[in-house]
Amino acid sequence: MQAHDPLLEIDNLSTFFDTLSGTVRSVNGVSYNLYAGETLGVVGESGCGKSVTALSVLRLIPTPPGRYAGGQIRYRGTNLLELGEKEMRRIRGNRISMIFQEPMTSLNPVLTVGRQIAETIMVHQKVGKRRAHAQALEMLELVQIAEPRRRIDEYPHQLSGGMRQRVMIALALACRPDVLIADEPTTALDVTIQAQILKLLGDLQKQLGMGVVMITHDLGVVAECCDRVVVMYAGRKVEEAPVAELFDNPAHPYTRALLAAMPAMGSQSRRLEEIPGIVPALSNLGPGCSFAPRCRYATQRCRAEVPPLRAFGESHIVACFEAERVTGRIPALHEDDAERGVAVAPAVAGAAEGPVEAGQAAPAPEAPLLVVRDLKKYYAGSHSWFGKGAPQVQAVDGVSFTVGRGETLSLVGESGCGKSTTGKSIMRLIQPTAGSVQLDGEEITSLDAEQMRMRRRDMQIIFQDPYASLNPRMTAGQIVMEPMRNFPDADTGTARGREERVAWLFSKVGLRPEAARKYPHEFSGGQRQRLGIARALALRPKLIVCDEPVSALDVSVQAQIINLLTDLQNELGVAYLFVAHDLAVVRHISHRVAVMYLGHIVEIADRDTLFSRPLHPYTEILLSAVPTPDPHAVTQRKLLQGDPPSPANPPRGCRFHTRCPLAKPICKEERPPLTPRLAAAGGQQMVACHVR
């Protein structure tokens, strides 16, 4: 094998699944190469075949119902599809390894993390337990797990999400593989942990010289980490180019639409571009380009013929008949376009030329809709009988803020800082320990259960985990209709009215009408999230607590949901308490932003002030950790060191001082109060910091 030969070659691969409803062509003639030391990004919406391609490389497709219908997968010249299972086991996890999307379901819950890493080493490297344990400890140190000698004997549930992801990386790299496939390795992580993980992967790649396939829907991660990018749609590769070329000159309409759908940190609050429709069912693709039904450039030829991949400049290939027109190399329209069947829509459906109100100046001052004063939620310690004798977990410790009518206030911060607990305490889904919550002038913390149930008509929540919040015994249509039946005096009180509103909500969140007959387990994760959003919107509430409502969605569907939330806010005056870790989304949708750390709010300001002139050191670090969807950008990133302290034993004084680069002696002794500061634009900015 020559030095310039690829480590991994996927050549015209087809992976199909035979089901009762037909043959699902999940991967349909896909080809790409991976070279040593290179990071190849693979992007596309859910259902486009990204993960199935990766699982095919490792021969992890269950057969049946799956089958490899054609093509080759060559590792160092050897076709993996021709190897027996015994030979494949020598490669899988040893020479080719994978970081799976969800570490909690990928790690064995009954084995310590150290034993899981050691077993991989013993199987592939034929060493004894003592040596394997020592190497496992070295791997935990390599991925910068805090206190590795203690963590090696802990179980997955005892670790934070960021730590579990580091363990998955240690497990994948334990045998020093040539090829690493990272399937959404940072999707569920905070921006601070994501920045640490991406830097770690980059450092380990340089150290080990491996090739990395990065599967992700975060185009900011692609811009910062990848050398080349493959774009997949409906089981096919539709474009491939070096990362800078792809961002500067995308040639396929689908690639351009994905880039346009992303909220950007520095962009003005304009309506995000939406991609009309959804990914087609892979069991019934039909003739022509699969993207043609959603494409504003589609011609009759596009609907009749599948466009082949062709060169579009140096190292740039695209599968599109109209690539020259898409990129402006030829005039956008011709006199005979109507005869040729060219679609002449002025823009992608859902796009708007002018600004929208999302994130712009908040509504005129009036009595706030929601007033939260000194809210606390403590949990009894879990390491003693009935919680006695163990320190209390101070999940939320004295939080105060207001949300105006028609306003969006975002809560941001790392996992475990108390964001979701704050939202659930306001909803009385968990009972606050202390504090006051007023909704529309009424104190709701003292209402009895029945009174609170009736009050929740005006308060709804979109949960972070859509699967756990949906009744598995109800169809999607019944789930969305249930709140209307519980409140028959709503505007949609008739059976016909309820059915019509369910159909409207399904269309708004990007679900097919026939999906109403399906059960939750029949949906993808992103589709379940859309279903939860539709249910929360059913009663036209005054306030919605949005707990990571778009974290599981592709950028295309995310744009639809963000635009939908904005439209409903403009139309109905609904207010949002928006809990999120994606700061680009927060930048786009918010009027004001509150930053939480370990149960405290450390800064509150209007959106523009906070993102342009943060005062608290923690806010500065959060903002610097956001990946920029620009491969030419020079990033000056500030990385947080270590993990947050335990809320069961928080530090004295400022709770951030143990990780703060600016900490002074007073920070260790006195808790700084939230102090008003005059913002540059004349608004009010509040910060809890002795230094700033």
Side-chain angles (χ1 to χ4, degrees):
M1 182 174 177
Q2 301 298 318
H4 60 276
D5 290 338
L7 281 175
L8 182 68
E9 300 170 88
I10 298 177
D11 184 7
N12 200 30
L13 175 67
S14 293
T15 304
F16 298 166
F17 292 85
D18 296 317
T19 69
L20 294 176
S21 58
T23 299
V24 178
R25 300 172 182 267
S26 296
V27 180
N28 196 1
V30 169
S31 300
Y32 59 75
N33 297 335
L34 177 70
Y35 296 85
E38 177 190 45
T39 299
L40 176 71
V42 182
V43 301
E45 294 170 281
S46 296
C48 284
K50 308 184 300 296
S51 296
V52 175
T53 303
L55 293 172
S56 297
V57 170
L58 289 169
R59 295 265 302 276
L60 292 176
I61 299 297
T63 53
R67 58 186 170 92
Y68 303 105
Q72 295 186 354
I73 303 171
R74 294 188 292 272
Y75 165 68
R76 293 187 177 274
T78 300
N79 185 6
L80 300 182
L81 298 181
E82 295 178 349
L83 298 182
E85 181 57 29
K86 185 176 181 180
E87 296 170 296
M88 194 64 209
R89 280 199 299 268
R90 297 193 187 104
I91 293 176
R92 186 189 301 127
N94 188 26
R95 307 318 319 149
I96 304 176
S97 196
M98 185 168 180
I99 302 171
F100 293 93
Q101 184 170 357
E102 177 45 65
M104 194 61 189
T105 57
S106 304
L107 296 171
N108 192 325
V110 300
L111 297 179
T112 65
V113 296
R115 181 174 174 183
Q116 293 182 60
I117 298 171
E119 282 190 352
T120 299
I121 296 170
M122 286 189 290
V123 167
H124 291 296
Q125 299 188 356
K126 309 301 181 186
V127 299
K129 288 184 178 180
R130 187 184 298 273
R131 178 58 187 157
H133 185 274
Q135 288 184 234
L137 182 60
E138 291 174 6
M139 290 306 305
L140 292 180
E141 293 171 346
L142 187 64
V143 299
Q144 301 173 24
I145 289 281
E147 302 179 89
R149 294 185 182 277
R150 177 168 67 89
R151 300 294 186 187
I152 196 171
D153 294 321
E154 292 186 339
Y155 293 86
H157 73 273
Q158 296 176 280
L159 306 179
S160 68
M163 285 188 179
R164 286 196 293 266
Q165 195 67 288
R166 290 168 187 260
V167 170
M168 280 296 303
I169 294 173
L171 191 62
L173 300 182
C175 297
R176 304 298 200 271
D178 293 329
V179 175
L180 176 67
I181 300 172
D183 188 3
E184 300 279 8
T186 62
T187 296
L189 302 181
D190 304 310
V191 288
T192 52
I193 303 298
Q194 174 179 267
Q196 294 174 20
I197 294 296
L198 293 177
K199 183 180 185 301
L200 173 63
L201 284 174
D203 293 344
L204 293 175
Q205 182 181 28
K206 292 176 183 177
Q207 180 179 337
L208 302 176
M210 61 188 174
V212 176
V213 177
M214 179 76 71
I215 300 171
T216 181
H217 69 260
D218 189 331
L219 297 178
V221 171
V222 170
E224 289 198 9
C225 299
C226 297
D227 302 298
R228 287 186 299 123
V229 187
V230 167
V231 182
M232 291 186 66
Y233 183 78
R236 292 190 173 103
K237 181 174 76 172
V238 298
E239 189 165 7
E240 180 180 343
V243 64
E245 169 69 11
L246 188 92
F247 276 75
D248 293 343
N249 190 34
H252 198 282
Y254 178 59
T255 309
R256 297 178 83 87
L258 284 179
L259 292 170
M262 272 197 68
M265 287 288 287
S267 67
Q268 296 298 315
S269 295
R270 293 181 175 273
R271 188 179 186 85
L272 297 175
E273 288 200 21
E274 301 178 18
I275 307 176
I278 56 179
V279 178
L282 299 181
S283 58
N284 186 25
L285 290 176
C289 174
S290 300
F291 190 62
R294 309 173 72 188
C295 180
R296 72 185 182 99
Y297 298 95
T299 66
Q300 294 297 340
R301 184 185 183 190
C302 300
R303 299 183 183 95
E305 302 176 31
V306 176
L309 285 162
R310 60 186 176 97
F312 195 77
E314 186 177 356
S315 303
H316 192 165
I317 57 175
V318 64
C320 181
F321 293 125
E322 299 295 320
E324 285 77 13
R325 189 157 62 91
V326 171
T327 57
R329 294 188 183 182
I330 62 174
L333 295 174
H334 299 278
E335 292 181 358
D336 61 342
D337 275 342
E339 297 178 5
R340 292 167 51 230
V342 176
V344 293
V348 176
E353 298 297 329
V356 296
E357 286 77 5
Q360 294 184 352
E366 57 178 315
L369 175 68
L370 180 72
V371 179
V372 179
R373 290 284 179 262
D374 201 27
L375 184 69
K376 297 182 180 181
K377 178 57 185 176
Y378 295 173
Y379 293 96
S382 58
H383 297 293
S384 62
W385 289 105
F386 306 109
K388 295 180 180 178
Q392 288 183 315
V393 176
Q394 301 176 25
V396 178
D397 188 23
V399 165
S400 301
F401 58 83
T402 63
V403 180
R405 301 170 194 277
E407 181 188 35
T408 299
L409 174 72
S410 291
L411 283 180
V412 302
E414 294 174 283
S415 294
C417 71
K419 306 186 301 295
S420 296
T421 302
T422 298
K424 292 175 183 177
S425 297
I426 290 169
M427 292 284 299
R428 291 271 304 277
L429 297 177
I430 54 179
Q431 185 64 32
T433 303
S436 167
V437 178
Q438 293 182 9
L439 180 69
D440 216 2
E442 179 184 10
E443 176 70 40
I444 63 173
T445 45
S446 58
L447 297 180
D448 62 31
E450 179 58 25
Q451 290 172 324
M452 191 62 209
R453 190 189 76 83
M454 296 303 295
R455 205 67 176 99
R456 287 200 187 102
R457 174 176 172 175
D458 295 326
M459 305 169 65
Q460 292 292 307
I461 185 168
I462 302 168
F463 290 97
Q464 184 173 2
D465 183 349
Y467 193 71
S469 65
L470 301 176
N471 190 326
R473 295 180 177 85
M474 296 175 69
T475 66
Q478 291 169 339
I479 287 170
V480 175
M481 192 178 291
E482 184 184 28
M484 306 178 207
R485 287 176 170 165
N486 289 340
F487 295 92
D489 58 332
D491 294 343
T492 53
T494 66
R496 179 65 179 272
R498 290 194 293 266
E499 291 174 359
E500 289 177 351
R501 182 153 180 82
V502 167
W504 180 83
L505 288 167
F506 269 51
S507 68
K508 279 294 185 181
V509 300
L511 292 173
R512 292 187 178 93
E514 59 268 24
R517 298 189 295 271
K518 293 184 178 180
Y519 289 86
H521 73 274
E522 298 180 86
F523 292 96
S524 68
Q527 289 172 328
R528 288 195 290 265
Q529 191 71 295
R530 297 180 225 180
L531 185 58
I533 292 169
R535 178 181 60 184
L537 296 170
L539 294 176
R540 300 184 178 92
K542 295 179 181 179
L543 173 73
I544 298 180
V545 176
C546 304
D547 190 1
E548 301 280 8
V550 296
S551 61
L553 304 182
D554 302 309
V555 290
S556 56
V557 181
Q558 175 180 274
Q560 295 174 12
I561 298 303
I562 291 173
N563 286 341
L564 171 62
L565 292 174
T566 300
D567 291 342
L568 290 167
Q569 188 170 64
N570 295 336
E571 178 184 348
L572 305 174
V574 63
Y576 302 125
L577 180 62
F578 197 87
V579 176
H581 70 263
D582 188 331
L583 294 182
V585 171
V586 169
R587 171 73 175 80
H588 181 87
I589 201 171
S590 305
H591 294 107
R592 291 187 300 130
V593 182
V595 182
M596 288 191 69
Y597 183 81
L598 209 63
H600 290 171
I601 288 181
V602 298
E603 188 165 4
I604 303 179
D606 67 272
R607 187 270 320 267
D608 291 334
T609 298
L610 187 124
F611 278 83
S612 63
R613 196 174 67 90
L615 293 181
H616 200 280
Y618 179 61
T619 309
E620 289 183 339
I621 293 172
L622 278 182
L623 297 181
S624 76
V626 181
T628 305
D630 180 2
H632 305 291
V634 178
T635 304
Q636 295 182 342
R637 181 153 291 149
K638 302 175 182 177
L639 296 180
L640 276 176
Q641 300 300 317
D643 292 300
S646 169
N649 187 26
R652 287 185 60 190
C654 174
R655 293 186 174 180
F656 186 60
H657 83 259
T658 58
R659 306 168 78 191
C660 181
L662 305 178
K664 293 183 176 181
I666 190 175
C667 303
K668 302 176 183 180
E669 300 298 330
E670 297 182 18
R671 174 182 173 180
L674 264 176
T675 305
R677 309 288 175 84
L678 185 63
Q684 191 178 73
Q685 185 172 12
M686 303 185 72
V687 63
C689 183
H690 292 300
V691 180
R692 297 290 177 80

